[in-house]
Amino acid sequence: MAHLIVITGPSGVGKGTLITLLRERIASVRLSISATTREPRQGERDGVDYHFLADDAFDVLIAEGAFAEHARYAGKQYGTLLTELDERDGAEDVIVLEIELQGARQIRQSMPSALQVFIAPPSFDSLRERLVRRGTDSAQTIDERLAVAREELGAQDEFSEVIVNDNLDNAVEALERLVQGQLRGAID
Ligand code: ADP
Ligand code: 5GP
């Protein structure tokens, strides 16, 4: 079975950016494609960025026990399908789950050997700036996400590994070190 790495942190902190850069550095890193009931953003593709589902289809999958974890975030459902955690992946492979706090807690319970990394912003204001600059969300959505972010930031002490994404190069370097450590079987 592959190594599982959970990457969590508030919306806009740079999780997606860091994972893209991590995948350029470590070829064996694969991203689990989550299911969600939110609308696709411009340019997002079904089955590539997410499995985009209607609410009732998502509920059927919950009832069938198809999720490793699932949670409601800003009024929408998100979840990791067990089929994304393919047991054919080998010990050299890394599967990254980019998920929010409640899902990270569920995985901590069910898969305690997974490495959990919290990505923190240099400041709360930088989150708003990044969400505005990203340009993918309405002002109302940004406010909703920032309200959730306050709670998420309050939970970062639960995580033994916290990376502050201030300078992007330093942050990706730190993430790569953690993942390489996990692959070697020892975190230093
Ligand atoms: P998340 O996946 O956590 O929601 P994104 O990866 O989409 O966040 O990043 C949000 C925005 O912040 C993007 O526009 C991205 O280019 C920018 N960003 C990411 N990391 C940094 C950084 N270290 N410094 C400044 N801007 C950043
Ligand atoms: P977004 O709508 O910006 O793509 O994602 C919103 C939040 O949902 C982010 O914090 C993201 O990490 C989280 N998320 C994405 N996929 C999953 C998932 O499968 N499970 C959980 N619990 N959260 C997810």
Side-chain angles (χ1 to χ4, degrees), residues 7-12 15 32-36 38-39 41 44 49-50 52 58 67 69-74 76-81 97-107 131 134 136-137 141 145 148 152:
I7 297 188
T8 194
S11 185
K15 300 181 298 296
S32 158
I33 301 171
S34 297
T36 184
R38 83 149 162 74
E39 292 298 312
R41 295 183 184 130
E44 282 184 333
D49 300 287
Y50 276 105
F52 292 102
F58 199 103
F67 287 107
E69 60 73 34
H70 62 92
R72 196 166 267 282
Y73 172 94
K76 302 292 175 185
Q77 307 207 73
Y78 293 82
T80 303
L81 291 161
L97 307 187
E98 196 250 272
I99 60 180
E100 53 68 72
L101 179 63
Q102 304 164 73
R105 286 174 171 156
Q106 292 170 39
I107 297 290
L131 283 171
R134 187 170 73 182
T136 53
D137 300 293
T141 301
R145 283 167 179 250
V148 179
E152 292 175 318

Side-chain angles (χ1 to χ4, degrees), residues 5-82:
I5 313 262
V6 172
I7 297 188
T8 194
S11 185
V13 74
K15 300 181 298 296
T17 306
L18 285 169
I19 292 166
T20 300
L21 294 172
L22 179 71
R23 293 173 75 190
E24 288 170 9
R25 288 173 176 228
I26 309 180
S28 62
V29 170
R30 181 167 73 72
L31 182 63
S32 158
I33 301 171
S34 297
T36 184
T37 60
R38 83 149 162 74
E39 292 298 312
R41 295 183 184 130
Q42 195 168 13
E44 282 184 333
R45 286 174 297 160
D46 187 30
V48 177
D49 300 287
Y50 276 105
H51 302 290
F52 292 102
L53 298 177
D55 245 318
D56 50 358
F58 199 103
D59 290 340
V60 167
L61 288 171
I62 295 175
E64 288 175 352
F67 287 107
E69 60 73 34
H70 62 92
R72 196 166 267 282
Y73 172 94
K76 302 292 175 185
Q77 307 207 73
Y78 293 82
T80 303
L81 291 161
L82 285 164

